[in-house]
């Protein structure tokens, strides 16, 4: 049962009944999925390029570790910008509506990604190149800060209460689809133009392709139905005028626990993909194609893991899925990195598949868990702040792992230990989530 002391914001207004028209729920969830797929395509393009391209194109150094850390620092900057975007777009989403903000954020993400593909490199414009790259990354982070939370919320608020875990898992499929598109784009360009041309200009094509993808996403997202729960608040005049203050002062426990619940699905993912791509190519001297293929296959398998875990969340409750998903990820942490360290292509790819699939189990239900922590009138703000705060920590995971690997003689152990710690924090959050969540008839926490 929700604690009155820690859940003052969430109990301030009664929850409205969920919508039972599943035809509408399906359309909204699919429209949200299309937007999140573009979001993660754009964002994962940057993470993969940070490991493969940006260290040579924008952060020129004789030491590959210095270049890599500079590149991963740029990756982290985007995550630092995300909570700021979460504050801005979350508060606006609780004041003017979910659909309007989701149109703004998707445009911001797509345009910035296209501009990155057109940005001259260090050899062309010197120090202005990394500065502009960082600036674009910040803009991208701001837009992403309001995107995922809004997409999950609009899917949840249009779904029947008892089936929210199922529909909240659909936008999560945007992550593997985005990975497939981004890794597939890089992999395809490598295959078509070769390593030299890829390094020179081929890497830009997947970024520029974000522009036509944006047009398709905008058309589909324009057909989204606004949340009936939010519309009811608007009609009754009960929208929150200061959602940021209310969430920070009255729901800080929800934010902390929610951050831990989301940490593995975000930070663990970047560890197994972006960091492993760097470690495999620079330390183990494996070909780019092998690591990109590993990311691609892991994303394909992740789709099935997300669908299955979403159904498990519907059946048993999101908190239990998060708890046991975190435990499972902790168990496989060391074996996964032992397999990666062999540099055997089959074992490395298998390890990436197992690692991503396992950490995707709690990620599948994180949208359900986070939306249940906050009342409708502050939900966008609460979920945006929580998920993006977890994203800040996650954005530094590849950077921290790279620094620790360099300090420990290129050993794989820092990566395994980081995955173990992050998994344990997510598992622990599963214990505390039910007590902090809003009780609704038909909802299993």
């Amino acid at each position: 049962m929700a604690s009155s002391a820690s859940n003052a914001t969430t109990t301030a207004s009664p929850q409205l009944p969920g919508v039972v028209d599943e035809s509408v729920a399906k359309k909204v969830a699919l429209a949200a999925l299309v937007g999140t797929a573009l979001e993660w395509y754009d964002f994962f393009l940057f993470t993969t390029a940070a490991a493969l391209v940006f260290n040579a194109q924008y952060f020129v150094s004789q030491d590959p570790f210095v270049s890599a850390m500079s590149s991963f620092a740029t990756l982290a900057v985007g995550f630092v910008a995300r909570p700021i975007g979460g504050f801005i777009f979350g508060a606006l989403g609780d004041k003017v509506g979910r659909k309007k903000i989701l149109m703004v954020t998707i445009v911001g993400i797509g345009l910035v990604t296209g501009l990155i593909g057109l940005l001259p490199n260090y050899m062309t414009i010197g120090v202005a190149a990394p500065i502009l790259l960082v600036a674009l990354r910040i803009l991208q982070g701001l837009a992403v800060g309001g995107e995922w939370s809004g997409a999950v919320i609009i899917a949840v608020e249009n779904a029947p209460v008892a089936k929210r875990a199922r529909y909240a898992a659909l936008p999560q499929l945007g992550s593997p689809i985005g990975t497939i598109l981004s890794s597939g784009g890089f992999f395809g360009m490598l295959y078509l133009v070769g390593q030299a041309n890829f390094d020179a200009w081929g890497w830009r094509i997947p970024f520029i392709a974000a522009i036509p993808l944006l047009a398709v996403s905008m058309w589909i997202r324009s057909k989204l139905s606004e949340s009936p729960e939010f519309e009811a608040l608007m009609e009754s005049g009960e929208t929150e005028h200061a959602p940021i203050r209310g969430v920070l002062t009255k729901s800080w426990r929800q934010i902390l626990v929610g951050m831990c619940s989301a940490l593995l699905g975000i930070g663990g993912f970047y560890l197994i993909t972006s960091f492993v791509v760097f470690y495999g190519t620079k330390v183990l001297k494996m070909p780019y194609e092998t690591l990109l293929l590993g990311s691609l296959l892991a994303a394909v398998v992740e789709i099935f893991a997300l669908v299955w875990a979403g159904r498990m969340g519907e059946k048993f409750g999101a908190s239990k899925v998060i708890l046991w998903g975190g435990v499972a990820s902790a168990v496989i942490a060391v074996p996964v990195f032992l397999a990666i360290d062999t540099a055997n292509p089959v074992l490395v790819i298998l390890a990436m598949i197992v690692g991503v699939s396992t950490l995707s189990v709690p990620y599948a239900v994180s949208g359900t868990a986070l939306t249940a922590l906050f009342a409708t009138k502050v939900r966008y703000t609460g979920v945006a702040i929580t998920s993006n705060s977890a994203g800040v920590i996650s954005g530094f995971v590849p950077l921290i792992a790279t620094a620790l690997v360099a300090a420990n003689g290129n050993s794989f152990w820092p990566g395994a230990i980081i995955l173990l710690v992050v998994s344990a924090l997510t598992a622990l959050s599963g214990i505390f989530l039910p007590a902090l969540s809003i009780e609704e008839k038909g909802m299993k926490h």
Side-chain angles (χ1 to χ4, degrees), residues 202-239:
W203 66 270
R204 297 180 180 276
I205 304 303
F207 279 90
I208 297 171
I211 300 299
L213 290 175
L214 170 61
V216 174
S217 298
M218 288 180 63
W219 178 74
I220 295 175
R221 182 159 282 185
S222 66
K223 299 181 181 300
L224 270 173
S225 297
E226 180 56 270
S227 158
E229 291 189 20
F230 181 79
E231 287 182 333
L233 285 177
M234 288 286 287
E235 291 175 4
S236 62
E238 294 181 4
T239 54

Side-chain angles (χ1 to χ4, degrees), residues 38-54 57-58 71 75 109-119 133 136-137 140 181-186 189 198 201-214:
L38 176 62
E39 169 198 357
W40 291 123
Y41 168 74
D42 294 347
F43 217 66
F44 292 157
L45 277 180
F46 198 102
T47 61
T48 305
L52 295 180
V53 178
F54 292 158
Q57 294 281 337
Y58 295 94
S71 184
L75 174 67
I109 294 169
L111 286 180
V112 168
T113 303
L115 289 174
I116 290 173
L118 299 172
L119 182 66
L133 182 63
L136 289 172
R137 177 62 173 175
Q140 188 186 56
L181 292 174
S182 59
S183 294
F186 279 135
M189 290 307 301
F198 177 83
W201 55 268
W203 66 270
R204 297 180 180 276
I205 304 303
F207 279 90
I208 297 171
I211 300 299
L213 290 175
L214 170 61

Side-chain angles (χ1 to χ4, degrees), residues 30 81 87 89 113 120 188 235 445:
L30 288 173
F87 278 100
F89 292 116
T113 303
E235 291 175 4
H445 296 300

Side-chain angles (χ1 to χ4, degrees), residues 36-121:
T36 56
L38 176 62
E39 169 198 357
W40 291 123
Y41 168 74
D42 294 347
F43 217 66
F44 292 157
L45 277 180
F46 198 102
T47 61
T48 305
L52 295 180
V53 178
F54 292 158
N55 53 338
Q57 294 281 337
Y58 295 94
F59 303 98
V60 179
S61 173
Q62 297 298 318
D63 188 335
F65 271 101
V66 172
S67 295
M69 288 190 66
S70 298
S71 184
F72 284 141
T74 307
L75 174 67
V77 164
F79 281 99
V80 173
R82 284 177 61 170
I84 302 172
F87 278 100
I88 296 170
F89 292 116
L92 288 173
D94 282 326
K95 291 180 179 180
V96 303
R98 284 66 162 123
K99 179 179 177 178
K100 292 177 182 177
I101 299 306
L102 284 172
M103 291 298 291
V104 173
T105 55
I106 200 68
V107 171
I109 294 169
L111 286 180
V112 168
T113 303
L115 289 174
I116 290 173
L118 299 172
L119 182 66
N121 61 16

Side-chain angles (χ1 to χ4, degrees), residues 118-444:
L118 299 172
L119 182 66
N121 61 16
Y122 184 89
M123 284 68 75
T124 303
I125 61 173
V127 72
I131 292 174
L132 288 172
L133 182 63
V134 170
L136 289 172
R137 177 62 173 175
I138 290 171
L139 291 175
Q140 188 186 56
L142 290 173
V144 170
E147 168 62 30
W148 177 85
S149 48
V152 170
I153 288 169
I154 204 166
V156 164
E157 291 182 347
N158 276 280
V161 172
K163 294 185 178 181
R164 282 182 173 177
R166 176 185 302 193
Y167 289 105
L170 280 177
Q172 304 296 68
L173 295 177
S175 175
I177 291 173
T179 302
I180 291 169
L181 292 174
S182 59
S183 294
F186 279 135
F187 187 82
M189 290 307 301
L190 268 170
Y191 178 79
L192 290 172
V193 305
Q195 185 70 60
N197 287 327
F198 177 83
D199 289 340
W201 55 268
W203 66 270
R204 297 180 180 276
I205 304 303
F207 279 90
I208 297 171
I211 300 299
L213 290 175
L214 170 61
V216 174
S217 298
M218 288 180 63
W219 178 74
I220 295 175
R221 182 159 282 185
S222 66
K223 299 181 181 300
L224 270 173
S225 297
E226 180 56 270
S227 158
E229 291 189 20
F230 181 79
E231 287 182 333
L233 285 177
M234 288 286 287
E235 291 175 4
S236 62
E238 294 181 4
T239 54
E240 180 65 51
H241 296 293
I244 296 175
R245 182 177 61 192
V247 167
L248 292 179
T249 58
K250 300 177 181 179
S251 297
W252 60 269
R253 293 178 181 84
Q254 283 83 351
I255 292 174
L256 290 177
V257 173
M259 283 173 57
C260 289
S261 70
L263 198 57
L264 177 58
I266 306 172
F269 183 86
Y270 287 114
L271 187 68
I272 299 296
T273 54
S274 187
F275 169 73
V276 168
V277 168
F278 162 75
Y279 185 79
T281 54
K282 303 302 181 184
V283 177
L284 302 179
K285 306 302 180 183
M286 298 180 67
Y288 286 169
E289 293 89 341
T290 301
L291 282 305
L292 288 176
L293 180 60
S295 297
L296 192 61
L297 293 177
V300 172
V301 177
E302 184 188 7
I303 292 175
F304 298 97
L306 289 170
V307 172
W308 174 80
R311 293 298 179 91
M312 292 301 100
E314 180 183 332
K315 186 175 182 180
F316 300 109
S319 62
K320 292 183 177 64
V321 174
I322 288 171
L323 169 61
W324 293 109
V327 170
S329 184
V331 169
I332 58 96
V334 173
V336 159
F337 275 91
L338 279 171
I340 290 169
D341 203 50
T342 65
N344 179 291
V346 175
L347 289 179
V348 170
I349 291 174
L350 183 61
M352 294 178 75
I353 291 172
V354 171
V356 169
S357 298
T358 307
L359 63 86
S360 295
V361 171
Y363 178 69
V365 296
S366 63
T368 312
L370 295 186
T371 54
L373 290 172
F374 305 97
T376 304
K377 65 180 183 179
V378 294
R379 183 170 288 149
Y380 206 141
T381 303
V383 174
I385 291 174
T386 303
S387 60
N388 289 303
S389 297
V392 170
I393 300 171
S394 301
F396 285 92
V397 166
L399 179 65
I400 294 169
T402 301
L404 292 176
V405 165
N408 287 275
N410 293 346
S411 170
F412 73 91
W413 281 104
I417 292 171
I418 290 173
L419 182 57
L420 183 62
V421 171
V422 170
S423 300
L425 288 172
T426 293
L428 190 63
S429 73
I431 299 173
F432 296 102
L433 279 169
L436 296 172
S437 299
I438 299 169
E439 294 292 343
E440 291 187 75
K441 186 177 181 180
M443 183 75 174
K444 294 181 180 179

